[in-house]
Amino acid sequence: MPALDKSEIYLKIKKYLLKHRLISIFIALCFLLYLCIPKPALLEDVDFSKVFYDKSGNLLRLTTSSDEKYRIYAPLKDISPHLTRATLLYEDRYFYYHPGVNPISLIRAFYETYVVKTGKIGASTITMQLARLKFDINSHRVSGKLLQILRAFQLERHYCKEQILEAYLNLAPYGGNIEGVKAASLIYYRQKPSEIGFIKSLNLAVVPQDPVNLNPLNTGNNKKLEKVRQFLFNECIKKNPELEGKKELLSLPSTVYRVQELPFIAPHLTTDLIQRGIYQEVINTTIDMDLQKLLDKSIKDYIEINSACNIHNASAMLVDFNNMEVKALVGSAGFFNNAINGQVNGTKAKRSPGSALKPFIYALALEQGIIHPMSLLKDIPSSFGEYNPENFDEDFQGPVNATDALVSSRNIPAIYLASQLKNPGFYDFLKDAGIKNLKTEKDYGLSLVLGGAEITMEELVSLYTMLANHGELKPFKFIKQETYLREKTINLLSAEAAFLTLDMLKNNNINNRMLYKGSEDQSLPVYWKTGTSNSYRDAWAAGIFGNYVLCVWIGNFDGTPNPAFTGSDAAASLFFNIVEVIKSKENLKDQIQRKSVKFNLKKLDVCTETGDLNTKYCSSKTSSWFIPGKSPIKDSNIYRRILIDRKTGKRACVFNPQTTEYKVYEFWSSDLLEAFDKAGIAKQLPPPFLRECNKPEKMSSGKTILTITSPKSEIEYVFKLSDKKPQKIPLTAISSSGMSTLYWFVNKKLIGQTESNKPLFWTLKPGIFLISVVDNEARSDSKTIRVTLAE
């Protein structure tokens, strides 16, 4: 046959195309359509579940997607090769060789189904199955099958094989409302898809073709499943002969879990993260599952034991203050308990903290140089304007050092210290600390000290972590990927003031040994404080041990009071139950005391009873921390050496070795003498002077002072016209020399006289007044007050 030249070949092609013009146009149009077909979304428009893990990768919770599916995105690289190979062998072994449709399989399926009619034979490739799932195609109809084929070509046009396989493995049905291999592996086997072994891969690979009958849950006497698994195993051995030795594993039972058995751990924390609108689908939290379960169990056991006392609800939060990771969080005693409104997150609810905020008043007083840990404070009946506070036990202890006043939660000393704070005051400190939704300072007044402002458990824990972190306030970490920015750290206190506050709380041993259930192990100090809100609505205990800050709350979300809701009993008991269990499981070391060597602190000897510098006349001494250049420091003026006449026992004026001698007496102020007396503590008063002594105030070795304690010049008093009863305020003063007669003057006019331990009541009226007092030894004091007319 003679060879054709190029011109002849060209003419033959031209004749053929002209003859088959319609076919050519059709092919060209199809090709252009294929090129121009729009790119569909693959997984971008698919909503996935959120999966929460603890810090070690243990599953905490799996949510459903917006369409109520358990569906978790998994990149192809994170899926076990065993599972991808088994899926391809069973579903589409020529996946990498066809253009989205396997024509041989289609012809065979058409022949078997419609010609021979032996039964329906599937011919769908993985790409076609993905098209059906993605575009919700009914492939049981001929029109649906054609659309499925077209969509398969569309997917193959725009995506590579790996992308298509990844999308299929994320959308394939695995029984019920479970879609995708990651959700299936987590639900059925509690394993990530990368951890799935060979046998479990066989079990999962066959499910999408028949999610009901081939479900891993239906392994018992399921002949169809056994046959399919055996077939797939044989096919795998052909490709990988080294797997022959795993044949006996096919017959071994494997643990398979149901959807209903999914863990639901730390639900309040995970719910809160969801409500924040967190965008990640896989959330690795900072929760420690063991500690979370420990807190859950401790609260459950506590509620069961104390239910007879109508204690039915509690919340708790545990934070590692070194890295600010939240290790455990229990929002209520039962998430699904409607009787206690269990789905409320108690760690975010605003509640009255009672005395749990008092440590921060003392911290500020230490910071501002008002006190040191052994400073003497007065726990006596006092008035602050119209505010007449009492203690929780309705008693007063008289003179008390700052440490004892804090740990025994005395109200009067705390209110006094709060009234002395400046730049910042206690209110401004709370605002600086990020306490939200505070009213104006005027709305609270001094009741702020006793829990007048409501705060959340998170806010309270944040304050205690600040003490543990040397005065630095840092944000919490709930998610491992989170990193707190340095600029978010706020210095609220000096390291010295923070340490001294904790060192004072360490001495909170009034109930400590009882709560430790007799344990003598004090190698791990607990720095803790309790709080009880007004009317017994909330009981709190918060503290630091090892590297943890723990806070517990007991109460009712609806605010129903209960006399059993006391911090020192109910909350402290639960608090130490948790502390003891954690101590038994972890080798904790104290991290507060060992860091004190770095701070600018000094220890000095002080008089035990006065807190002032030790002198040779002090009856006993102890040591106290001081912040050099800041803490108040002075010699004790209570113990004085005075001259006594041997014959009369009275104070002498002139030393005579035959008739006089020196003795040491205590010179307490009149208000403290009264407080001692009420407390049943007998104090020997210094004797009076001999008649021949004309100027007794100069004969003592100390200075005698008369001081007005009420009214307060820094308080503006308000006169209310609407009040029909006379509006009176007490006029009181103290004398450091003991009891004396006081003469009271208003604008230099005498209005009455009292003993130094008794008040004189004066009727208010608008104006500016000079209040003066003079005692019977000509000592005096005065204050100017303003009385305004109420609007």
Side-chain angles (χ1 to χ4, degrees):
M1 184 176 179
L4 298 173
D5 60 17
K6 290 182 179 181
S7 58
E8 290 176 331
I9 293 173
Y10 175 75
L11 288 172
K12 284 185 175 287
I13 293 173
K14 186 176 181 180
K15 286 180 180 180
Y16 179 84
L17 290 174
L18 288 172
K19 185 178 180 181
H20 302 282
R21 183 179 299 173
L22 292 177
I23 296 175
S24 302
I25 292 172
F26 178 74
I27 293 172
L29 286 174
C30 288
F31 183 71
L32 286 173
L33 180 63
Y34 181 74
L35 291 178
C36 298
I37 194 170
K39 183 179 181 180
L42 201 56
L43 293 176
E44 295 83 1
D45 58 348
V46 176
D47 184 51
F48 289 95
S49 304
K50 293 189 183 298
V51 55
F52 295 88
Y53 296 104
D54 82 337
K55 70 180 185 67
S56 301
N58 299 305
L59 182 64
L60 294 175
R61 179 181 179 183
L62 178 62
T63 70
T64 55
S65 61
S66 58
D67 56 347
E68 299 298 320
K69 304 287 187 182
Y70 288 107
R71 183 194 300 123
I72 313 167
Y73 172 71
L76 191 60
K77 63 182 179 62
D78 290 343
I79 299 173
S80 167
H82 289 303
L83 184 51
T84 54
R85 283 196 295 265
T87 301
L88 289 173
L89 271 174
Y90 189 68
E91 294 279 2
D92 189 358
R93 66 181 61 199
Y94 300 109
F95 173 71
Y96 284 103
Y97 305 104
H98 61 65
V101 175
N102 188 332
I104 296 175
S105 296
L106 278 177
I107 293 170
R108 186 191 62 190
F110 180 82
Y111 179 76
E112 294 285 345
T113 303
Y114 297 105
V115 179
V116 182
K117 297 184 179 180
T118 56
K120 287 188 176 181
I121 301 295
S124 294
T125 62
I126 281 180
T127 310
M128 291 173 66
Q129 292 184 61
L130 175 60
R132 176 177 57 82
L133 295 169
K134 178 69 184 161
F135 304 108
D136 194 23
I137 297 172
N138 181 3
S139 59
H140 295 293
R141 300 170 63 180
V142 175
S143 59
K145 181 62 71 174
L146 291 174
L147 179 59
Q148 183 184 18
I149 292 171
L150 291 174
R151 285 292 195 179
F153 284 129
Q154 182 184 21
L155 291 173
E156 292 276 352
R157 162 70 181 89
H158 291 287
Y159 295 101
C160 67
K161 289 291 187 179
E162 286 73 19
Q163 290 173 307
I164 292 171
L165 180 59
E166 177 185 281
Y168 172 74
L169 290 173
N170 276 281
L171 297 177
Y174 284 89
N177 61 340
I178 302 171
E179 290 188 359
V181 293
K182 188 167 185 177
S185 60
L186 278 176
I187 292 172
Y188 292 136
Y189 298 117
R190 297 293 187 269
Q191 289 181 302
K192 296 178 181 178
S194 58
E195 301 167 345
I196 291 293
F198 174 59
I199 298 300
K200 291 178 181 177
S201 294
L202 298 182
N203 293 343
L204 290 178
V206 301
V207 178
Q209 278 214 4
D210 190 349
V212 175
N213 295 312
L214 300 181
N215 195 291
L217 292 168
N218 298 330
T219 53
N221 201 24
N222 189 333
K223 299 297 183 183
K224 182 177 181 181
L225 179 58
E226 290 177 9
K227 181 179 178 181
V228 169
R229 289 173 65 204
Q230 185 63 57
F231 164 77
L232 186 55
F233 180 81
N234 294 335
E235 292 297 309
C236 288
I237 289 176
K238 292 177 184 178
K239 298 285 185 180
N240 302 278
E242 70 275 8
L243 297 174
E244 177 71 37
K246 295 183 179 291
K247 188 172 184 177
E248 66 277 6
L249 297 178
L250 273 176
S251 59
L252 293 178
S254 59
T255 303
V256 183
Y257 298 92
R258 297 179 180 275
V259 168
Q260 294 81 357
E261 297 175 273
L262 273 172
F264 193 68
I265 301 169
H268 292 93
L269 181 140
T270 54
T271 300
D272 178 55
L273 292 176
I274 293 169
Q275 290 173 347
R276 285 192 207 175
I278 190 166
Y279 64 89
Q280 297 105 311
E281 290 160 355
V282 177
I283 300 104
N284 296 298
T285 72
T286 59
I287 290 293
D288 183 309
M289 184 176 285
D290 291 336
L291 291 173
Q292 179 68 35
K293 289 181 176 179
L294 185 153
L295 257 67
D296 279 321
K297 186 177 187 305
S298 296
I299 288 177
K300 181 181 178 182
D301 292 346
Y302 180 86
I303 296 297
E304 286 182 3
I305 294 170
N306 292 279
S307 59
C309 300
N310 286 323
I311 295 178
H312 303 296
N313 199 10
S315 302
M317 187 172 178
L318 184 72
V319 177
D320 185 337
F321 62 79
N322 284 327
N323 52 26
M324 294 304 292
E325 291 183 351
V326 177
K327 294 300 182 184
L329 187 150
V330 180
S332 72
F335 189 81
F336 295 109
N337 187 344
N338 293 329
I340 62 170
N341 299 312
Q343 295 191 27
V344 173
N345 185 350
T347 67
K348 287 187 165 296
K350 285 282 188 178
R351 314 293 301 186
S352 169
S355 296
L357 286 179
K358 281 179 182 170
F360 307 100
I361 296 169
Y362 285 79
L364 287 170
L366 291 163
E367 178 78 11
Q368 297 179 19
I370 299 171
I371 59 168
H372 60 77
M374 290 299 294
S375 289
L376 188 65
L377 300 173
K378 300 171 185 177
D379 182 28
I380 58 176
S382 302
S383 296
F384 299 86
E386 296 182 354
Y387 190 45
N388 302 296
E390 292 184 345
N391 288 310
F392 181 76
D393 57 8
E394 299 181 351
D395 197 8
F396 299 93
Q397 293 183 355
V400 60
N401 66 58
T403 297
D404 288 344
L406 172 58
V407 299
S408 60
S409 208
R410 311 315 292 172
N411 288 339
I412 306 302
I415 294 172
Y416 165 74
L417 291 176
S419 70
Q420 302 301 304
L421 297 175
K422 296 178 180 177
N423 300 322
F426 188 46
Y427 177 84
D428 290 331
F429 170 82
L430 294 178
K431 287 190 68 176
D432 293 341
I435 308 302
K436 293 181 172 57
N437 302 321
L438 287 173
K439 301 176 184 176
T440 66
E441 186 173 9
K442 194 173 182 180
D443 287 329
Y444 296 116
L446 291 174
S447 69
L448 184 67
V449 178
L450 308 183
E454 293 186 335
I455 68 172
T456 68
M457 180 180 287
E458 279 190 12
E459 292 169 337
L460 187 61
V461 171
S462 179
L463 287 171
Y464 277 83
T465 61
M466 178 272 296
L467 290 179
N469 284 318
H470 321 310
E472 287 189 350
L473 186 73
K474 301 178 180 179
F476 294 123
K477 283 183 67 177
F478 294 93
I479 302 174
K480 285 177 67 174
Q481 299 97 312
E482 286 180 332
T483 56
Y484 74 84
L485 300 176
R486 191 70 191 173
E487 55 266 27
K488 287 187 177 180
T489 299
I490 304 171
N491 285 329
L492 292 178
L493 295 170
S494 67
E496 290 77 16
F499 168 76
L500 291 185
T501 305
L502 292 179
D503 196 58
M504 293 164 72
L505 291 175
K506 180 188 67 174
N507 295 293
N508 194 357
N509 293 319
I510 296 171
N511 296 310
N512 209 0
R513 292 185 182 275
M514 177 189 72
L515 291 167
Y516 265 119
K517 300 178 181 177
S519 171
E520 296 299 323
D521 177 20
Q522 298 296 318
S523 59
L524 184 70
V526 181
Y527 311 85
W528 64 292
K529 185 72 183 72
T530 61
T532 305
S533 68
N534 188 35
S535 300
Y536 302 99
R537 287 184 170 87
D538 309 274
W540 297 85
I544 299 162
F545 64 102
N547 53 295
Y548 295 124
V549 170
L550 171 66
C551 183
V552 302
W553 168 86
I554 292 172
N556 294 312
F557 287 145
D558 62 4
T560 303
N562 183 348
F565 294 163
T566 60
S568 59
D569 187 7
S573 179
L574 175 58
F575 177 88
F576 278 103
N577 287 347
I578 296 171
V579 170
E580 284 297 298
V581 176
I582 295 177
K583 278 180 61 180
S584 69
K585 295 182 179 297
E586 297 188 23
N587 183 25
L588 299 175
K589 302 293 183 184
D590 179 62
Q591 300 193 26
I592 304 300
Q593 297 295 324
R594 65 184 179 87
K595 295 180 180 179
S596 63
V597 294
K598 302 177 181 179
F599 303 145
N600 180 28
L601 293 169
K602 286 189 177 180
K603 259 191 176 180
L604 297 175
D605 288 337
V606 297
C607 285
T608 303
E609 282 195 286
T610 68
D612 296 327
L613 285 180
N614 183 42
T615 68
K616 60 183 178 180
Y617 302 126
C618 289
S619 58
S620 64
K621 68 176 183 179
T622 186
S623 60
S624 179
W625 287 108
F626 285 81
I627 305 174
K630 184 175 289 187
S631 298
I633 186 168
K634 62 182 177 67
D635 290 334
S636 177
N637 195 38
I638 299 295
Y639 298 94
R640 305 179 194 173
R641 182 171 174 262
I642 60 175
L643 196 60
I644 299 296
D645 179 71
R646 287 194 178 100
K647 184 178 180 180
T648 64
K650 294 183 178 181
R651 296 173 69 176
C653 306
V654 180
F655 175 72
N656 185 321
Q658 280 75 39
T659 62
T660 61
E661 63 180 345
Y662 283 102
K663 288 186 177 181
V664 176
Y665 281 86
E666 299 175 19
F667 284 74
W668 295 97
S669 61
S670 57
D671 59 334
L672 290 177
L673 283 174
E674 183 184 9
F676 278 128
D677 183 60
K678 287 184 177 180
I681 302 172
K683 288 292 180 182
Q684 185 181 8
L685 296 176
F689 284 93
L690 292 169
R691 185 175 296 177
E692 55 266 31
C693 294
N694 295 322
K695 296 182 179 180
E697 67 275 8
K698 293 185 178 180
M699 305 308 298
S700 68
S701 59
K703 184 180 179 182
T704 304
I705 303 171
L706 180 66
T707 306
I708 293 176
T709 55
S710 175
K712 305 282 186 183
S713 57
E714 65 270 18
I715 294 177
E716 185 176 284
Y717 294 84
V718 179
F719 178 79
K720 300 176 182 177
L721 286 173
S722 59
D723 200 334
K724 296 180 180 179
K725 294 182 180 180
Q727 299 164 50
K728 297 182 178 183
I729 61 170
L731 306 181
T732 58
I734 57 172
S735 171
S736 62
S737 63
M739 301 301 179
S740 58
T741 302
L742 305 180
Y743 302 89
W744 290 95
F745 298 82
V746 175
N747 290 343
K748 298 183 180 181
K749 290 183 179 181
L750 179 66
I751 62 168
Q753 69 180 62
T754 62
E755 295 300 313
S756 58
N757 62 331
K758 302 293 183 183
L760 177 69
F761 288 92
W762 173 63
T763 302
L764 284 176
K765 53 186 175 181
I768 298 174
F769 302 93
L770 176 66
I771 309 294
S772 306
V773 64
V774 180
D775 70 3
N776 54 1
E777 294 183 1
R779 292 179 293 268
S780 65
D781 189 23
S782 62
K783 286 188 177 181
T784 299
I785 67 167
R786 178 187 296 273
V787 181
T788 59
L789 188 64
E791 295 181 1

